[in-house]
Amino acid sequence: MFTRAVTVLIAVLCLADVSAFAQPQSAGPSGAILFENVRIFDGKSSTLTGSMNVLVRGNTIDRISKDPIPVDRSANTRIVAGGGRTLMPGLIDAHWHAMFVRPTPAALLAGDIGHLNLVAGAEAADTLMRGFTTVRDVGGPVFGLKQAIDEGVIPGPRIYPSGAMITITSGHGDFRQPFEVPRVIGSPQSRGEQTGAAMIADSPDEVRVRVREQLLQGASQIKLTAGGGVASPHSPLDVSTFTEPELRAAVEAADNWGTYVTVHAYTSASIRRAIAAGVKCIEHGHLMDDETAKLIAEKGVWLSTQAFPDEMAEVFPPGSLERLKARAVFAGTDRTFTLAKKYKIKTAFGTDILFSPQLAPRQGELLAKLVRWYTPAETLIMATATNAELLTLSGERNPYPGKLGVVEQGALADLLLVDGDPIANIDLIKEPAKNFVVIVKDGKIFKNTL
Ligand SMILES: [Zn+2]
């Protein structure tokens, strides 16, 4: 037994050793990067600075200065001549599903998990190349993908994983067909559960088990579906799902681990019940009323919402119930953002792109859409410093200790060099391939076309 444990340990150590050298070729040297002559959007201020110099050392921003920063101009310090371009924090998507972006719903359930992981890996590289250096993953089996990215095996964003989204029998995320019921506790799991996409729980005790299983695997926050959803076959939009004691059980289990629960919820009733149970963040909120928006603000709860494009409904077949539900939700977008502004709700930006390799390249465009309700500066602040503030709710379970979403001394070096001024011209973020000329994550250069 002891020998076997030692063998396993040695195997693990060897793997760790190998991965340390398996950096993507596009990554820069792990020494220092000096950005000369850049104007800074710091993630918080609505104006750019004048010309500055920024030194990155290791994975953090070491120094920001108007005056030239003297460095050892040896091979290990990469100098980037900014030419007056804008240096800004990497973008953050607060509602992402790294495993669900490209496959169809059918492929997700029927596909080989190895294939799904490789597809998600390719998408993660593209996500980073769009300037999204961090995503908050609110459901899906991303622990392996996250590990591969963190080890440098493949390029990709930082991932704040929720693991499986937790739902009830018949709830959003229960992808079973009617012939698969009844479920007997202890019987083999449904396909959706086997893949780790979603887990079903129908009592406070079951909820506790499912929450703790995600925490065991490294979840930085917990996601429950508190009401009906668009993409699930047997989940009407108007329903509330978990009871308050069930939601409370999840909140308590997460709280014991120093982190928090976020819930998928569109309707006022499901949002109110979640808030009563101690949930700290609402995903979506598109069907909420004025009073509920006011309650969210009063309780200091976060709203992580999305400006869904109409085309997103088209991933579902014409005439399908899913497409009708999508249209009903999307009709609430304008009211949701208007209420969020009216009550000054702490609002996070996310895209929730699902099952659509066509939409994924438009991730930045979905951010730029927010100028319908916010100024360009407010829009960029939301996707950087504000989203980063939401991430801090993970407390000790934060997988990336350090400051994200800002350009300031001591912060983690996730940086974009933009060819132009994104506050004056927000459209620049719609075309990251052309306009993000340098992309740095964790102090490493993943793109440099200068
Ligand atoms: Zn989602």
Side-chain angles (χ1 to χ4, degrees):
M1 193 64 198
F2 175 74
T3 320
R4 204 173 130 200
V6 169
T7 311
V8 169
L9 183 64
I10 289 169
V12 167
L13 290 175
C14 288
L15 275 178
D17 240 347
V18 168
S19 65
F21 295 101
Q23 293 297 335
Q25 286 191 333
S26 51
S30 57
I33 309 165
L34 177 63
F35 289 94
E36 292 181 323
N37 184 24
V38 291
R39 301 181 71 196
I40 298 171
F41 163 62
D42 66 1
K44 292 177 169 175
S45 166
S46 55
T47 53
L48 301 186
T49 66
S51 175
M52 305 289 267
N53 304 294
V54 176
L55 178 65
V56 171
R57 212 183 267 287
N59 72 341
T60 54
I61 298 169
D62 189 63
R63 224 179 126 187
I64 301 173
S65 170
K66 257 187 208 147
D67 302 320
I69 300 175
V71 287
D72 169 15
R73 292 185 179 243
S74 65
N76 216 21
T77 301
R78 191 168 286 185
I79 312 285
V80 178
R85 293 179 183 85
T86 307
L87 191 71
M88 64 172 281
L91 297 168
I92 301 171
D93 192 321
H95 192 122
W96 193 245
H97 300 275
M99 291 293 290
F100 306 158
V101 177
R102 291 193 188 178
T104 61
L108 181 67
L109 289 175
D112 177 87
I113 193 71
H115 178 254
L116 290 169
N117 268 299
L118 290 166
V119 169
E123 173 52 41
D126 285 359
T127 306
L128 181 60
M129 287 303 107
R130 291 193 293 268
F132 285 85
T133 50
T134 300
V135 297
R136 178 167 159 270
D137 196 285
V138 282
V142 288
F143 298 113
L145 177 69
K146 174 186 180 295
Q147 186 183 355
I149 292 169
D150 292 347
E151 290 170 350
V153 176
I154 57 163
R158 301 176 192 270
I159 296 180
Y160 281 73
S162 306
M165 62 180 105
I166 300 167
T167 186
I168 62 161
T169 291
S170 79
H172 179 51
D174 177 357
F175 290 103
R176 291 174 303 165
Q177 297 301 319
F179 64 80
E180 291 177 85
V181 299
R183 173 173 79 106
V184 179
I185 292 176
S187 63
Q189 292 172 331
S190 64
R191 177 64 184 161
E193 293 173 290
Q194 286 168 8
T195 62
M199 296 303 281
I200 299 166
D202 286 306
S203 69
D205 286 344
E206 271 200 290
V207 167
R208 268 185 281 270
V209 173
R210 295 320 185 196
V211 168
R212 288 168 181 161
E213 285 170 349
Q214 307 319 308
L215 294 167
L216 177 153
Q217 294 175 85
S220 51
Q221 67 284 325
I222 295 296
K223 160 85 174 290
L224 268 67
T225 60
V230 168
S232 301
H234 312 292
S235 158
L237 282 180
D238 59 291
V239 302
S240 298
T241 54
F242 285 107
T243 63
E244 196 178 312
E246 288 166 343
L247 290 165
R248 219 177 263 288
V251 167
E252 190 187 17
D255 188 58
N256 287 343
W257 271 61
T259 185
Y260 70 101
V261 171
T262 188
V263 295
H264 160 105
Y266 291 119
T267 65
S268 298
S270 58
I271 294 169
R272 285 173 169 278
R273 189 183 290 176
I275 291 174
V279 164
K280 294 220 175 100
C281 183
I282 305 296
E283 306 296 322
H284 313 309
H286 290 67
L287 304 176
M288 70 179 171
D289 57 24
D290 191 283
E291 281 297 297
T292 303
K294 198 169 162 212
L295 179 73
I296 292 175
E298 280 169 6
K299 296 288 184 184
V301 167
W302 281 83
L303 177 67
S304 161
T305 194
Q306 307 82 28
F308 292 122
D310 288 337
E311 306 91 282
M312 204 181 248
E314 286 157 23
V315 305
F316 305 107
S320 65
L321 189 58
E322 286 84 352
R323 194 183 272 206
L324 287 175
K325 288 197 286 186
R327 297 250 184 262
V329 165
F330 299 176
T333 301
D334 183 44
R335 194 186 56 246
T336 305
F337 279 105
T338 304
L339 287 172
K341 281 197 78 174
K342 179 179 173 187
Y343 291 110
K344 298 187 173 61
I345 293 174
K346 290 191 283 190
T347 309
F349 156 79
T351 58
D352 199 13
I353 292 169
L354 286 169
F355 314 128
S356 182
Q358 296 78 29
L359 267 181
R362 293 169 57 191
Q363 194 176 8
E365 189 187 321
L366 298 191
L367 172 59
K369 268 185 78 171
L370 297 194
V371 295
R372 182 170 163 195
W373 303 279
Y374 302 94
T375 67
E378 286 170 337
T379 298
L380 293 170
I381 289 167
M382 194 189 289
T384 53
T386 306
N387 272 3
E389 192 190 331
L390 169 60
L391 296 175
T392 65
L393 291 187
S394 289
E396 292 295 316
R397 300 288 82 74
N398 178 358
Y400 309 105
K403 227 169 175 189
L404 288 173
V406 290
V407 180
E408 60 182 49
Q409 202 178 318
L412 292 170
D414 289 5
L415 298 164
L416 310 176
L417 188 64
V418 187
D419 195 9
D421 173 358
I423 293 176
N425 179 13
I426 188 92
D427 286 346
L428 291 171
I429 65 174
K430 293 182 186 175
E431 290 187 85
K434 183 172 151 218
N435 300 318
F436 295 170
V437 291
V438 178
I439 297 175
V440 172
K441 191 199 84 174
D442 207 36
K444 295 184 185 73
I445 296 175
F446 284 84
K447 176 183 174 183
N448 184 0
T449 58
L450 287 182

